[in-house]
Amino acid sequence: MDIDLGDLNAFLTVARAGGFREGARLSGGSASALSDAIRRLETRLGVRLFNRTTRSVALTAAGNGLLARLEPALGEVANALDVVNGYRDRPAGTLRLNIPVSAARLALPEIIPAFLAKYPEILLEIITEESFVDLMAEGCDAGIRYDERLEQDMIAIPIGPRKQRFAAAASPDYLARNGTPQHPQDLLDHPCIRGRFASGAMFPWEFEKDDQTLEVAVKGPFIMRPGGGTDLAVDVAKGGIGIIYLFEDWLTPFFKDGSLVPILEEWWPSFPGPKLYYPGRRLVPSPLRAFIDFVRAWPLQK
């Protein structure tokens, strides 16, 4: 049976994404091209692989059966091609990383230009995502997250700063009008700029000093989603609306220019820096292997 490998990949993309639009977004193609590929595949196989309505796309029994056998088979094809790619003088191909905005801001600005300069034949694609995702389902090779958000079966290596802190700050004007908190509990009397995760949970304000640790349930007039809304939250704090709690490294430029003033510094909690993580499989694609080796050697290359 003459089946095009591209059509099989299109099937896998739509099945993993749960729809044509999302599949197009993840693959960088078009929904119409994916639909045409699925139609060709169904015609050649003589079975329907998806049940389609105006609102949903779902695998049929035949589609589920094909998916179960096709995923490992195409994985082996990719591995086989990567073995051949390993004989090239320089790694080449696409590397897709799923990372939070904080890592894009704080961990990668020096690493990425140096990596791409060393490996010009690698195409690097960055997808920013705050919530933990299934790397394989999203079509990504690796991701960056913090320890508490890593799955057990992932291999992880440090990337970027090894230690970080959360910092509290406010504008000079705000502190002149409202006074400076001397203890984390004083924040209950101040408007605070808060964050809410996509899950609906509020971002915790945690503090530590010596053997003391505490979490303060702050309130305030402005809530943003961590990631895309963070720069706006900083602007709101600089405008004197309230107190902000964020990565120290993110706020440091504003400490230096005087637009924000650090507060409660002796209470700032520290935590391990981010990790580059990837599935613990036998064969790692050559672009990812090159990136892993580069990250491991990075402190020595700076």
Side-chain angles (χ1 to χ4, degrees):
M1 185 180 296
D2 184 19
I3 300 294
D4 187 271
L5 185 60
D7 292 348
L8 292 175
N9 275 311
F11 166 77
L12 203 57
T13 297
V14 175
R16 285 172 171 171
F20 291 96
R21 286 188 179 180
E22 183 65 8
R25 184 185 71 82
L26 293 173
S27 66
S30 69
S32 60
L34 288 175
S35 180
D36 290 342
I38 298 303
R39 191 175 298 109
R40 286 194 302 270
L41 184 59
E42 288 178 329
T43 299
R44 287 172 179 169
L45 293 175
V47 295
R48 180 176 289 276
L49 301 173
F50 294 96
N51 287 320
R52 308 168 181 81
T53 70
T54 56
R55 294 187 177 183
S56 66
V57 175
L59 285 164
T60 63
N64 274 310
L66 178 61
L67 179 65
R69 301 295 296 270
L70 190 59
E71 281 193 299
L74 286 183
E76 284 302 310
V77 170
N79 289 342
L81 292 174
D82 202 68
V83 167
V84 175
N85 192 39
Y87 286 94
R88 297 169 56 95
D89 292 335
R90 301 174 64 83
T94 300
L95 172 61
R96 301 183 84 232
L97 300 179
N98 187 290
I99 68 174
V101 172
S102 58
R105 170 69 70 90
L106 305 177
L108 298 183
E110 291 184 333
I111 294 175
I112 294 305
F115 174 74
L116 292 177
K118 184 174 182 178
Y119 298 105
E121 295 180 49
I122 290 179
L123 169 63
L124 177 61
E125 181 176 355
I126 299 291
I127 298 94
T128 54
E129 173 71 51
E130 295 304 310
S131 59
F132 193 87
V133 299
D134 183 332
L135 288 177
M136 301 302 291
E138 294 292 320
C140 295
D141 300 293
I144 297 177
R145 290 297 184 274
Y146 290 86
D147 280 340
E148 70 273 12
R149 305 186 74 187
L150 291 177
E151 292 184 358
Q152 294 283 330
D153 61 346
M154 292 289 174
I155 297 174
I157 61 172
I159 183 171
R162 299 301 188 258
K163 283 286 185 181
Q164 292 184 277
R165 292 196 300 175
F166 279 113
S171 71
D173 174 66
Y174 175 87
L175 297 175
R177 288 184 286 107
N178 298 279
T180 301
Q182 301 301 310
H183 188 277
Q185 293 292 355
D186 295 344
L187 294 171
L188 295 173
D189 298 322
H190 290 261
C192 295
I193 296 164
R194 298 176 290 164
R196 189 195 303 277
F197 293 114
S199 65
M202 298 299 295
F203 188 86
W205 287 41
E206 299 173 333
F207 298 90
E208 62 183 32
K209 181 181 180 182
D210 300 326
D211 295 330
Q212 301 179 69
T213 60
L214 59 107
E215 182 174 324
V216 182
V218 298
K219 297 181 180 179
F222 183 81
I223 298 174
M224 57 83 185
R225 178 163 301 177
T230 304
D231 281 331
L232 178 58
V234 173
D235 289 336
V236 171
K238 289 165 61 178
I241 299 303
I243 294 172
I244 191 169
Y245 179 85
L246 191 59
F247 292 98
E248 177 186 7
D249 293 339
W250 201 307
L251 295 178
T252 294
F254 309 106
F255 296 157
K256 290 180 178 179
D257 68 19
S259 58
L260 289 176
V261 177
I263 61 173
L264 300 171
E265 192 166 357
E266 68 274 18
W267 285 92
W268 291 356
S270 63
F271 55 95
K275 303 287 182 62
L276 174 70
Y277 74 100
Y278 55 98
R281 57 192 179 191
R282 180 173 57 85
L283 183 63
V284 176
S286 61
L288 177 56
R289 171 52 59 195
F291 189 67
I292 291 168
D293 293 342
F294 189 86
V295 167
R296 282 183 167 144
W298 173 246
L300 302 177
Q301 298 179 29
K302 291 181 67 174

